[in-house]
Amino acid sequence: MKTDIHPTYYTDATVTCSCGHSFTVGATKPALRVEICSVCHPYFTGEQRIIDTEGRVERMKRRFNLK
């Protein structure tokens, strides 16, 4: 087996969500940025909210002239 082929493992990597919540996990990168976490995800919060990261909702509204 080859030696020294595995990436560095950080036991205290910081994950930061776009909602502002941050927590630590184990990862191969020292810092991670995510768009959605368990604090703001609609499944866990119970809120009905449209999550649109690529503008698909606005494009559909323009296509069908919805307001």
Side-chain angles (χ1 to χ4, degrees), residues 4 7 10 19 27-28 30 35 44 48 54 56 61:
D4 300 326
Y10 300 95
C19 71
T28 57
E35 294 179 5
F44 297 110
Q48 279 280 331
E54 297 180 13
R56 293 180 183 170
K61 286 181 179 179

Side-chain angles (χ1 to χ4, degrees), residues 51-64:
I51 300 169
D52 184 27
T53 58
E54 297 180 13
R56 293 180 183 170
V57 173
E58 287 81 16
R59 189 172 60 195
M60 185 198 70
K61 286 181 179 179
R62 275 186 279 138
R63 181 179 286 170
F64 295 111

Side-chain angles (χ1 to χ4, degrees), residues 1-54:
M1 276 184 28
K2 294 181 181 179
T3 59
D4 300 326
I5 61 169
H6 297 290
T8 305
Y9 185 74
Y10 300 95
T11 58
D12 57 348
T14 304
V15 178
T16 306
C17 179
S18 61
C19 71
H21 184 253
S22 64
F23 52 95
T24 58
V25 295
T28 57
K29 293 186 178 184
L32 302 167
R33 296 192 55 82
V34 295
E35 294 179 5
I36 252 179
C37 66
S38 62
V39 173
C40 61
H41 194 280
Y43 180 79
F44 297 110
T45 60
E47 296 177 2
Q48 279 280 331
R49 192 170 37 157
I50 297 174
I51 300 169
D52 184 27
T53 58
E54 297 180 13

